Amino acid sequence: MNSQTAAAAATANESGFGLSYGYGTDRGLRRELNEDSFIASDPVFAVADGMGGHEAGEIASGLCVRTLGSYPQLASGVRTATAAEVQDCLLAADGRIRSATGARAGTTLSGVVVVEQMGLPYWLVMNIGDSRTYLLSQGEFAQVSVDHSEVQEMVDAGSITAEEANVHPRRHVVTRALGTGDETEADFWLLPIHEGDRILVCSDGLTGELNDEYIFRILSTVGHPQDAVDALIQAALRSGGRDNVTVVVVDAKNVLNDAGVATTAPRPGADAEDEDTLPRHELPAAGADDDAGASGAPDGNGDGGNGKE
């Protein structure tokens, strides 16, 4: 069995606002290594998809999540981080990865940091690369992060459609990553947390196998966060499991509104080649074959890091 999952955990503060979450990862059906890593420890919930091959991707993703887990402003239970502080942490991770791998490996990163401002909670969404963060809130499901990828640039320019991007031969080429290349700045979004919000963070091993409609169907019908994680991973494996698959699901409960009152909002009830995520500057000419690497496996102890230094 190459999958790693854990029973969902829960946290709460003095006001009663709390989080429940589940997480898991699987090597997939075609990969020899799992180069994904994750962290699921309040206030940080993130997935890193390493690239570099020969365990280098595992090193990069593992260093990334361990740096997040050890950063003082992101310590367990602390919900005061700013986007600038998170970016400083990511720059530190970038430096550690470059030092350990000689800039020959990199990693994507996507996820949320839970922060509180004026007594109200927010999702601070961060993203660099093509791992993704989604939000299911008050019945609406949407991708929050925007992929840093060649095909996303093509979609934005109107040269291809989103459907064509899913099967495009350069769909695994990222334009930003930590540890390699020049673009290391993350995008950030600050979103108020509503009662019943559900966050999904995943590597592209999930979204490469399942479309958003199928993902929404599972997230909106499976109640327990860990059950939702397990269902998504198993669905990705049944669909082909061509890449490492890592999933984190976070639920918000007992959320206070502006008046300090807890609210309630019940949650509503493609064949492709086996390709790796690649930084654009290391990509060979279009159409050439390249095995430069893809997404390291977390150690399963909640901090998600298992990269070797």
Side-chain angles (χ1 to χ4, degrees), residues 21-69:
Y21 49 93
Y23 47 87
T25 187
D26 195 284
R27 188 184 66 212
L29 303 179
R30 299 192 184 182
R31 302 295 186 201
E32 293 184 3
L33 297 174
N34 190 341
E35 294 183 284
D36 287 356
S37 296
F38 66 86
I39 179 170
S41 178
D42 183 8
V44 188
F45 304 90
V47 170
D49 180 346
M51 51 193 150
H54 307 293
E55 298 189 7
E58 180 183 2
I59 295 172
S61 65
L63 282 171
C64 178
V65 298
R66 286 202 302 277
T67 303
L68 286 169

Side-chain angles (χ1 to χ4, degrees), residues 2-297:
N2 63 55
S3 64
Q4 298 182 34
T5 60
T11 63
N13 62 12
E14 292 181 358
S15 68
F17 164 65
L19 304 168
S20 59
Y21 49 93
Y23 47 87
T25 187
D26 195 284
R27 188 184 66 212
L29 303 179
R30 299 192 184 182
R31 302 295 186 201
E32 293 184 3
L33 297 174
N34 190 341
E35 294 183 284
D36 287 356
S37 296
F38 66 86
I39 179 170
S41 178
D42 183 8
V44 188
F45 304 90
V47 170
D49 180 346
M51 51 193 150
H54 307 293
E55 298 189 7
E58 180 183 2
I59 295 172
S61 65
L63 282 171
C64 178
V65 298
R66 286 202 302 277
T67 303
L68 286 169
S70 63
Y71 204 63
Q73 289 85 344
L74 301 176
S76 178
V78 177
R79 295 173 177 169
T80 60
T82 65
E85 289 171 336
V86 175
Q87 181 62 39
D88 286 344
C89 178
L90 297 183
L91 290 175
D94 178 73
R96 292 184 67 189
I97 295 167
R98 290 175 188 271
S99 177
T101 68
R104 293 189 300 271
T107 186
T108 69
L109 179 75
S110 195
V112 298
V113 177
V114 179
V115 301
E116 295 186 9
Q117 297 182 4
M118 304 295 290
L120 297 177
Y122 293 84
W123 304 115
L124 176 59
V125 181
M126 56 186 171
N127 187 72
I128 183 165
D130 64 352
S131 294
R132 291 182 179 178
T133 298
Y134 291 83
L135 172 63
L136 174 58
S137 181
Q138 300 177 325
E140 298 295 326
F141 179 64
Q143 179 182 339
V144 179
S145 61
V146 178
D147 294 354
H148 297 134
S149 65
E150 281 201 354
V151 292
Q152 183 63 50
E153 291 179 352
M154 295 176 194
V155 171
D156 293 342
S159 58
I160 64 172
T161 66
E163 291 73 21
E164 290 170 335
N166 292 331
V167 295
H168 195 279
R170 296 175 74 86
R171 66 190 178 280
H172 295 292
V173 182
V174 298
T175 56
R176 293 192 207 177
L178 294 174
T180 184
D182 298 326
E183 294 290 333
T184 59
E185 185 174 353
D187 291 336
F188 293 93
W189 298 261
L190 188 64
L191 307 174
I193 297 179
H194 298 104
E195 177 66 20
D197 275 6
R198 170 165 279 187
I199 286 283
L200 165 68
V201 189
C202 61
S203 61
D204 66 347
L206 181 75
T207 55
E209 300 293 352
L210 307 178
N211 61 33
D212 286 3
E213 181 180 354
Y214 194 95
I215 292 171
F216 167 66
R217 189 180 311 139
I218 292 177
L219 288 178
S220 61
T221 57
V222 179
H224 198 284
Q226 189 61 49
D227 292 340
V229 167
D230 295 342
L232 287 166
I233 291 176
Q234 290 305 311
L237 295 178
R238 289 194 301 271
S239 184
R242 288 164 287 189
D243 200 353
N244 309 144
V245 185
T246 302
V247 179
V248 177
V249 172
V250 188
D251 289 353
K253 56 186 179 181
N254 299 324
V255 180
L256 301 182
N257 61 21
D258 292 339
V261 178
T263 59
T264 58
R267 181 176 297 108
D271 292 338
E273 292 180 2
D274 182 16
E275 298 184 50
D276 294 347
T277 299
L278 297 169
R280 174 161 57 182
H281 76 283
E282 294 182 1
L283 190 74
D289 190 18
D290 195 309
D291 293 323
S295 336

Side-chain angles (χ1 to χ4, degrees), residues 296-307:
D299 57 15
N301 63 5
D303 66 6
N306 77 334

